[in-house]
């Protein structure tokens, strides 16, 4: 990255943002800067000191390096480094990007007080020289399993996944205009046909769970002007010419390449994960025939397999976990100085992960057990809220001089791996109650499958 005293806001553009941070990308170097955001009420005064802001950034890097990277695999995780930026550069950057931000994100402002930022590789514009720009697909897969009936009070939670229930809740509350038909259990099924329909639904209704970048520029995402599927396929057509350029063939080939990328594993003889309990969500509109075939083994070493294994650290559901959370909170109320010894808020070092991995299977009544289960739940929440970035680099097959379209080399990375704060458990408990209650109140009952007689044939691309 350029020297701190030579930072020029004209060389950085708005890239995107989440709930807690805003990202800008360099116009030439394959780098992004991630800066913290605050509530608009704090626009005149920093809600935390400069030291606290830097510590928060360092916590994110430590958590990524020492916790998520060992659990998810080094090859998938890019932790980045904390950098100090000139305050005048940050202020000018804040002014520059303001008009580019989505209106619904402007309830928060960029941190212009600390100069703290996280420098990361720009995975949407990898520094690879190719004739045709690489494609990068960002997916927020969400939670890929149903909880055990042992720990839940409402039977519906063992039949309908949290994402599908939450969709109904968000539409009812005006967050989205339409429900997405995407179901995470289809994506995590390992069944290529169910995965195909899951990705097709993400393309049709991306919300903030699906984006496509071409040469670093977003060509399909959650903004209204980017939602035309036919427009997207026009932009993808140069990559998929083997189907004579027809929209249906382009869509089919694109999704097939993406499915193969998500299932790719470096481990020879990867027999896949053994799945317990239901693997089908009743709200999914996949055909009965597809569901009847059951899940295929999801390769353990694939990016989806790795994420699901970490999500499954939530073995108790929020309902089973919440009594343990209250045990921890009551203990800390009486013994606040114990917060540091128990590493409630870090440091996220190797010892932190070792404690969680040594947690006994059964509750022995100790505060250490309760803390470990709460920490496991927080890590699982990070995995449920992470993003996958799949980079597709086209390679023309010129061996026989034919124009059979593009083959791809691909790589996958996992982003958005921040530690969830301790108090997020209480918020999850309240949200779970509201989402389930609203779904039970408004549930329209069983629906016919969307594709009752459709059979999809997967061919090599």
């Amino acid at each position: 990255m350029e020297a701190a005293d030579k930072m020029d806001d004209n060389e950085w553009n708005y890239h995107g943002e989440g709930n807690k941070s805003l990202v800008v990308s360099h116009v030439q170097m394959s780098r992004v800067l991630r800066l913290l955001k605050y509530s608009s009420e704090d626009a005149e005064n920093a809600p935390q000191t400069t030291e606290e802001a830097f510590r928060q950034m360092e916590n994110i890097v430590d958590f990524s390096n020492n916790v998520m990277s060992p659990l998810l695999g080094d090859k998938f995780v890019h932790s980045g480094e904390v950098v100090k930026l000139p305050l005048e550069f940050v202020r000018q950057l804040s002014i520059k990007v303001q008009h580019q931000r989505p209106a619904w994100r402007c309830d928060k402002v960029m941190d212009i007080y600390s100069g703290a930022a996280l420098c990361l590789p720009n995975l949407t514009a990898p520094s690879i020289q190719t004739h045709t720009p690489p494609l990068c697909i960002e997916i927020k897969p969400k939670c890929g399993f149903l909880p055990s009936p042992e720990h839940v009070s409402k039977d519906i939670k063992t039949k309908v996944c949290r994402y599908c229930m939450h969709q109904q809740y968000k539409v009812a509350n005006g967050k989205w205009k339409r429900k997405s038909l995407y179901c995470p259990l289809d994506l995590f099924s390992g069944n290529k046909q169910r995965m195909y329909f899951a990705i097709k639904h993400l393309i049709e209704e991306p919300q903030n769970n699906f984006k496509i970048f071409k040469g670093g520029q977003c060509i399909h995402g959650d903004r209204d002007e980017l939602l035309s599927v036919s427009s997207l396929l026009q932009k993808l057509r140069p990559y998929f010419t083997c189907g004579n350029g027809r929209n249906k063939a382009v869509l089919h080939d694109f999704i097939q390449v993406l499915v193969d990328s998500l299932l790719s594993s470096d481990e020879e003889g990867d027999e896949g994960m053994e799945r317990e309990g239901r693997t089908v969500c009743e709200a999914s509109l996949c055909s009965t025939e597809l569901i009847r075939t059951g899940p295929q083994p999801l390769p353990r070493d694939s990016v989806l397999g790795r994420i699901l294994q970490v999500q499954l650290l939530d073995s108790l559901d929020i309902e089973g976990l919440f009594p343990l959370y209250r045990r921890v909170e009551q203990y800390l109320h009486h013994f606040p100085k114990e917060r540091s010894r128990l590493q409630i808020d870090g440091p996220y070092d190797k010892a932190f992960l070792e404690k969680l991995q040594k947690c006994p299977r059964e509750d022995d009544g100790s505060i250490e057990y309760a803390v470990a289960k709460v920490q496991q739940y927080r890590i699982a929440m990070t995995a449920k809220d992470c993003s996958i970035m799949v980079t597709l680099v086209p390679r023309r097959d010129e061996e026989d001089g034919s124009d059979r379209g593009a083959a791809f080399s691909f790589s996958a990375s996992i982003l958005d791996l921040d530690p969830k704060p301790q108090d997020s458990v209480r918020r999850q408990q309240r949200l779970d109650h509201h989402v389930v209650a609203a779904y039970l109140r408004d549930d329209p009952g069983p629906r016919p499958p969307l594709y009752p007689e459709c059979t999809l044939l997967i061919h090599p691309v």
Side-chain angles (χ1 to χ4, degrees), residues 162 318 377 381 423-433:
R162 169 61 178 269
I318 185 62
Y377 176 83
M381 288 303 301
D423 60 6
S424 66
V425 177
R426 187 173 293 277
R427 290 199 299 272
Q428 284 295 326
Q429 191 266 345
R430 288 195 297 265
L431 180 60
D432 183 77
H433 173 78

Side-chain angles (χ1 to χ4, degrees), residues 326-392:
R326 284 189 302 201
R327 183 194 300 177
V328 174
E329 291 298 288
Q330 289 168 2
Y331 183 85
L332 294 176
H333 176 73
H334 294 294
F335 307 102
K337 292 183 179 180
E338 286 282 271
R339 194 176 190 94
S340 176
R341 180 185 71 83
L342 294 169
Q343 293 183 264
I344 299 297
D345 308 303
Y348 300 111
D349 51 20
K350 293 180 180 179
F352 176 89
L353 182 58
E354 288 173 1
K355 288 180 184 178
L356 305 190
Q357 292 173 328
K358 293 177 180 178
C359 178
R361 288 180 175 271
E362 301 296 331
D363 186 358
D364 57 6
S366 67
I367 187 62
E368 285 77 12
Y369 173 85
V371 168
K373 296 307 290 185
V374 171
Q375 301 286 34
Q376 286 180 356
Y377 176 83
R378 289 167 59 190
I379 292 171
M381 288 303 301
T382 294
K384 292 177 187 180
D385 207 32
C386 73
S387 296
I388 301 171
M389 184 69 77
V390 176
T391 302
L392 303 177

Side-chain angles (χ1 to χ4, degrees), residues 17 24 28-29 46 61 70 77 94-95 97 100 150 166 219 224 329 340 357-358 368 396 411 414 456-457:
E17 60 190 292
V24 294
Q28 290 181 319
M29 295 187 296
V61 173
V77 178
S94 174
I95 295 170
V97 304
Q100 299 172 293
E150 182 182 353
H166 206 176
I219 61 172
D224 288 341
E329 291 298 288
S340 176
Q357 292 173 328
K358 293 177 180 178
E368 285 77 12
R396 284 285 165 186
S411 61
I414 305 174
L456 176 70
L457 299 178

Side-chain angles (χ1 to χ4, degrees), residues 143-396:
C143 182
F145 70 97
L146 293 168
S148 164
E150 182 182 353
H151 302 292
V152 301
S153 59
K154 303 294 184 183
D155 188 50
I156 191 67
K157 291 175 69 173
T158 67
K159 298 177 180 178
V160 178
C161 78
R162 169 61 178 269
Y163 179 87
C164 290
M165 283 196 278
H166 206 176
Q167 276 291 301
Q168 190 160 305
Y169 182 75
K170 286 179 177 179
V171 171
N173 285 276
K175 174 68 182 292
W176 299 112
K177 296 177 183 177
R178 301 172 295 275
K179 270 199 318 187
S180 168
L181 300 180
Y182 165 70
C183 177
L185 268 66
D186 290 331
L187 187 70
F188 282 95
S189 69
N191 180 313
K192 287 191 175 184
Q193 294 176 317
R194 287 176 63 185
M195 293 176 70
Y196 178 98
F197 288 119
I199 294 172
K200 184 172 183 290
H201 293 146
L202 282 172
I203 293 172
E204 292 169 347
E205 193 68 43
Q207 297 184 359
N208 61 348
N209 297 313
F210 190 82
K211 293 179 183 177
I212 302 176
F213 298 84
K214 180 180 178 180
Q217 298 297 314
C218 185
I219 61 172
H220 194 69
D222 58 358
R223 300 200 299 277
D224 288 341
E225 67 269 24
L226 298 176
L227 289 184
S228 168
V229 176
S230 60
S231 173
L232 168 66
L233 296 178
Q234 290 287 341
K235 296 167 185 173
L236 294 180
R237 182 167 286 122
Y239 296 86
F240 303 96
T241 58
C242 54
N244 298 322
R246 295 192 304 272
N247 276 0
K248 187 177 291 186
V250 171
L251 179 65
H252 175 275
D253 291 348
F254 169 68
I255 296 178
Q256 183 180 336
V257 168
L258 189 50
V259 166
D260 290 342
S261 306
L262 294 170
L263 293 177
S264 175
S265 171
D266 291 338
E267 296 290 325
E268 290 188 18
D270 191 338
E271 296 180 355
M273 297 176 59
E274 293 184 7
R275 310 284 293 276
E276 296 181 0
R278 293 172 56 95
T279 56
V280 174
C281 170
E282 288 188 357
S284 169
L285 296 181
C286 269
S287 75
T288 308
E289 188 63 33
L290 289 183
I291 291 173
R292 191 179 297 131
T293 62
Q296 305 299 311
L298 185 63
R300 296 184 66 87
D301 196 51
S302 67
V303 65
L304 286 178
R306 288 285 196 158
I307 290 172
L308 184 58
Q309 290 172 66
V310 179
Q311 290 182 357
L312 288 167
L313 287 174
D314 171 19
S315 58
L316 303 176
D317 188 70
I318 185 62
E319 292 187 65
L321 178 92
F322 200 66
L324 296 174
Y325 172 78
R326 284 189 302 201
R327 183 194 300 177
V328 174
E329 291 298 288
Q330 289 168 2
Y331 183 85
L332 294 176
H333 176 73
H334 294 294
F335 307 102
K337 292 183 179 180
E338 286 282 271
R339 194 176 190 94
S340 176
R341 180 185 71 83
L342 294 169
Q343 293 183 264
I344 299 297
D345 308 303
Y348 300 111
D349 51 20
K350 293 180 180 179
F352 176 89
L353 182 58
E354 288 173 1
K355 288 180 184 178
L356 305 190
Q357 292 173 328
K358 293 177 180 178
C359 178
R361 288 180 175 271
E362 301 296 331
D363 186 358
D364 57 6
S366 67
I367 187 62
E368 285 77 12
Y369 173 85
V371 168
K373 296 307 290 185
V374 171
Q375 301 286 34
Q376 286 180 356
Y377 176 83
R378 289 167 59 190
I379 292 171
M381 288 303 301
T382 294
K384 292 177 187 180
D385 207 32
C386 73
S387 296
I388 301 171
M389 184 69 77
V390 176
T391 302
L392 303 177
V393 180
R395 301 181 308 220
R396 284 285 165 186

